[in-house]
Amino acid sequence: MGVMVIPRAARVYICCALLGAAVCCAPALRPGAQTPWGAMALLAALYAVCELPARCRLLNRVLGGSVPMGAGSFFPVLLAAALLLPPAAAALTALPGALVARVEQPPAAVRRVWRAAQLVIAVWAAGLVAGALRRDDALGSGPHAPDFPYVLVPAGASALTFCLVLTALDGGIRATAEGLSARTAWRGLFGRALASYTVHGLAGLMMAVLWRSTYGPVAALFVLLPMYISCWVFAQYHRERAAHQATIRALVQAVDIKDGYTRGHSERVGRASVLIARELGMAEERLEILRFAGILHDVGKLGVPTRVLRKDGPLTPEERRIIELHPEYGHEIVRGIGFLGEARSAILHHHERMDGSGYPYGLSGQQIPEFARVVAVADAFDAMTSTRCYSRARPVETAVAELERCAGTHFDPRMVRALVRALDRHGWQKAVTADEAPLPGDGVPPPRPSAPTDTREAPGTGTDTPTGTRKAPGTGTAPGTGTDTPTGTAPRAGTEPFMPVPSTPVPKGRG
């Protein structure tokens, strides 16, 4: 791997932050300054000790790689310092912990220095605001109780300032290091961080109040124990969620490798399904599972022979029956994956039709699971608006008209209406991408011979909308093809400083 080059603008920005941090700390180091070195050293050591375990390989191994440490885990210590110490002294407490904290991405040294400067400035600003709001009087001391509820004002203001400064500096480094526009660099940073920093501020207030009480600093340490446990639980949750995502990615990649014309289709169906669900007012906790259902709806193609998936020409009735087994194959593949929940039924039933002519079981109406009815509409829409080897992507209006024509027979009218509302609200990105197969006469070289091709269409319509009839029980599944669907592109996701922003998946391939 080559050495990462930091853009000039980012280097200048980091140097300015270092200079600003030095200015913030300088008053505490002046001769004659009334700096409470004992309290400052204790808080600084406490923050450093909290950050050190993340760098300990042995402890990571004992805890299964989920030490609950990292940027933000123990900000309550810094916010307590902002409430207890003069601003310059509070700023110094962030230095040791920031310099020893674990860094995931290179360049590690530059990231540590940047993080230290960022935290110093943020803690200094938080302490300045808290001091201006009479934090000393509000906290009380010894036997004097804190001035509640006024004490919440300096505590809340310091936490808000801390959050504002950190997110402002984060946006600046993203803009200079990654070349993002100001709007993109700062978009969403503050909103995503505010709730977390509010909790940290309350924990910091508890530490400060106990520190000033008759029980002294030792009592303040007890605040960290529940904080540590909650961070550990949170780390475990994210570790499990990352494992779920990795499982989904592996399955989708396997399908994409086997049937190249579906590449990108699964992700788009997942996004489209979520758009429909939001219009229907589904609970937030179901949206992630529904997205998994859309992404994995065609995972059963792993059980279909590659020669059938990549056949260049119309399918025979026998080959079509083989293709129509993919929902059952998919259900068998994911049946043991517990976190998929309702998604499993959507994978099995997304080719059922409202009039009962679908497959594999010929369910009709409300017998078809809700998730399956959502995915069916999303799947069909993506198939019609994607360029295939045998047809150009249809206009959104044409695809919508086809869905509305088949509403009540093939598709749930409620899901179709929800998709139409979502398209009106969010629009649709229908541009043909470089990854989609060019059509004859486009003036573009044809795909390489190794690219899979597929000229299958639903019998009777010449479209990708399912129209076949179901066979009698015991004789296989009904002729007819599935359909497919989705939504435009997602906004760019935020990234760590100095890291490139991942590109948004765009529609490509066939469904």
Side-chain angles (χ1 to χ4, degrees), residues 1 7 11 29 37 46 128 137 185 195 212 232 292 334 343 350 355 360 368 402 422 430 451 454 480 495:
M1 292 179 60
R11 293 200 298 269
L29 303 175
W37 291 106
L46 181 60
L128 197 66
D137 295 336
R212 286 283 191 90
W232 184 82
F292 288 157
V334 303
H350 70 279
D355 62 4
I368 305 171
E402 183 67 13
K430 58 179 180 179
D454 187 352
T495 57

Side-chain angles (χ1 to χ4, degrees), residues 313-329:
L315 295 178
T316 66
E318 179 60 31
E319 289 168 337
R320 188 172 296 284
R321 282 192 290 271
I322 293 173
I323 284 282
E324 289 168 355
L325 290 173
H326 80 270
E328 294 174 275
Y329 291 152

Side-chain angles (χ1 to χ4, degrees), residues 220-244:
L221 299 182
F222 287 103
V223 175
L224 291 182
L225 181 60
M227 196 73 187
Y228 185 97
I229 294 173
S230 64
C231 288
W232 184 82
V233 171
F234 196 63
Q236 288 287 84
Y237 164 76
H238 277 280
R239 185 164 174 257
E240 182 178 353
R241 193 169 186 272
H244 294 173

